[in-house]
């Protein structure tokens, strides 16, 4: 029998506070892990540390590159970094684990193409796939612990918080599952759910193709609020102490009051009908930063930054092709990928391009486009590419 709502959270909070004290004392490297999509449950896309900077980013090199199986679309999911391992899923239908130095550890067939970014917690890695299932596998060897059919393709990334896995499917269901067993704690029907959910302070936030954003009590699934927005939501929310940020297929960015769902501001990242915002916003340095995939001819991409409090435009940075990659922030730099085969670094202050990985035919790093989002951990950037490879970039 489950503990009453709130009591379980209080117990978890006590454990968390203990863990925080220990973390301060021990200062383990795990603090820099990128354990689930966009860095953590709040999906802010921020990596701590100052290894990478404007002064040295031009020295980034491919430290290693590993094939993740042959497929038409390659790697579209973002990597997770936990402890001494890196995990990534591929369109070939396999989940891969590599050592931080690039040594292959294991791979496991999960039943369908993987567009879902894995999440790691307590020695378990969770991932969804196009066969409609979410699976839990042992970090050490990939052994299957449980599998749950969600009734539709799973492209959303698992959200792990409070010993539960929150995940939606394109069949319309949004589920809270017990992390240890996969048993359904609660379910809500929201229309098609393409992207992941976010968590903060006992509340789970998620959007869907119904052009709505929901907030649910994490324990019970009770609806706290629902807000209608303009355009389908295929964007993972990013949640701060007071606001939830999300993008839509009509090219808009919304800042919603985290507790009530009221619109604090909304801004056009692109004119209606001219492009999509299908990324998780990165929230750092006083900015909300989104990639925009333009549907104009030619199709190009931009990175747009808005002031976090007002929604006023801060800067726009240009990319050469469509982008759905969610930007990742570290030490004054936003990193983001594009279908133009390049990974970019833009300065947070003015959006100036500081570095890019170059074109392959000019000695650049990547053979195909990037739709995955960078994972930054320990001063390295892990990025999957549509040529079917996972790359680790670092300073020599």
């Amino acid at each position: 029998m489950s503990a009453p709502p709130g009591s379980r959270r209080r117990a978890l909070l006590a454990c968390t506070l203990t863990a925080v004290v220990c973390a301060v004392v021990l200062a383990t490297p795990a603090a820099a892990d990128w354990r689930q999509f966009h860095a953590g449950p709040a999906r802010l896309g921020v990596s701590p540390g100052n290894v990478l900077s404007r002064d040295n980013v031009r020295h980034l090199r491919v430290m290693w590159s590993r094939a993740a199986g042959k497929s038409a679309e390659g790697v579209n999911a973002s990597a997770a970094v936990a402890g001494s391992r890196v995990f990534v899923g591929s369109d070939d239908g396999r989940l891969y684990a590599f050592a931080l130095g690039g040594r292959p550890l294991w791979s496991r067939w999960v039943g369908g193409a993987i567009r879902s970014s894995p999440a790691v917690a307590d020695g378990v890695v969770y991932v969804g796939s196009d066969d409609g299932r979410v699976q839990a596998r042992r970090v050490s060897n990939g052994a299957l612990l449980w599998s749950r059919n969600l009734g539709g393709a799973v492209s959303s990334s698992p959200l792990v918080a409070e010993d539960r896995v929150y995940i939606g499917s394109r069949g319309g269901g949004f589920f809270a599952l017990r992390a240890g067993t996969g048993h359904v704690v609660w379910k809500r029907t929201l229309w098609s759910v393409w992207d992941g959910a976010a968590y903060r302070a006992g509340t789970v936030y998620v959007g869907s193709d119904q052009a709505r954003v929901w907030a649910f009590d994490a324990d019970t699934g009770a609806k706290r609020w629902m807000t209608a927005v303009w355009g389908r939501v295929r964007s993972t929310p990013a949640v701060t102490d007071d606001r939830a940020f999300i993008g839509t297929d009509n090219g808009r960015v919304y800042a919603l009051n985290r507790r009530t769902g009221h619109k604090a501001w909304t801004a056009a990242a692109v004119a209606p009908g001219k492009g999509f915002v299908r990324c998780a916003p990165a929230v750092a340095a006083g900015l909300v930063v989104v990639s925009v995939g333009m549907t104009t001819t030619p199709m190009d991409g931009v990175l747009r930054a808005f002031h976090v409090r007002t929604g006023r435009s801060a800067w726009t940075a240009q990319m050469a092709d469509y982008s759905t990659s969610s930007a990742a922030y570290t030490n004054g730099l936003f990193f983001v990928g594009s279908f133009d085969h390049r990974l970019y670094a833009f300065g947070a202050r003015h959006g100036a391009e500081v570095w890019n990985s170059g074109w392959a035919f000019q000695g650049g790093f990547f053979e195909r486009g990037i739709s995955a989002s960078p994972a930054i951990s320990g001063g390295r950037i892990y990025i999957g590419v549509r040529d079917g490879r996972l790359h680790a970039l670092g300073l020599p």
Side-chain angles (χ1 to χ4, degrees), residues 29-103:
D33 283 352
W34 193 279
R35 290 180 167 264
Q36 49 189 313
F37 177 68
H38 230 214
R43 313 295 204 192
L44 299 178
V46 176
S47 176
N50 57 3
V51 175
L52 298 174
S53 70
R54 292 179 63 99
D55 295 332
N56 62 28
V57 68
R58 66 184 182 280
H59 298 302
L60 276 173
R61 297 291 182 268
V62 175
M63 309 304 288
W64 53 261
S65 175
R66 297 290 179 266
K70 293 182 178 180
S71 62
E73 298 296 332
V75 178
N76 292 276
S78 300
V81 186
S84 60
R85 291 175 168 86
V86 184
F87 304 89
V88 74
S90 170
D91 233 49
D92 74 343
R94 300 186 75 86
L95 177 66
Y96 293 83
F98 300 96
L100 291 185
R103 179 169 59 89

Side-chain angles (χ1 to χ4, degrees), residues 245-314:
F245 301 92
I246 201 160
T248 77
D249 271 12
N250 270 336
R252 298 199 71 81
V253 179
Y254 286 84
L256 307 177
N257 183 293
R258 184 178 72 78
R259 294 169 180 81
T260 66
H262 293 158
K263 296 170 186 173
W265 56 258
T266 180
V270 62
K274 301 293 186 180
F276 304 133
V277 178
R278 289 184 172 177
C279 64
V283 185
L287 302 171
V288 179
V289 176
V290 297
S291 62
V292 182
M294 309 290 283
T295 55
T296 52
T297 303
M299 292 173 67
D300 58 3
V302 297
L303 198 68
R304 292 292 310 273
F306 302 91
H307 291 285
V308 70
R309 299 308 308 172
T310 64
R312 184 171 53 87
S313 179

Side-chain angles (χ1 to χ4, degrees), residues 150-207:
L150 302 186
V154 181
S155 55
S156 63
S157 301
L159 164 67
V160 183
E162 292 197 0
D163 198 34
R164 291 185 180 169
V165 179
Y166 302 91
I167 192 164
S169 84
R170 301 213 299 264
F174 182 71
F175 299 80
L177 309 175
R178 295 195 188 282
T181 64
H183 292 160
V184 177
V185 179
W186 52 261
K187 174 189 175 184
R188 297 293 176 265
T189 301
L190 309 182
W191 285 30
S192 187
V193 178
W194 282 71
D195 225 323
Y199 170 91
R200 187 176 282 270
T203 304
V204 178
Y205 305 84
V206 67

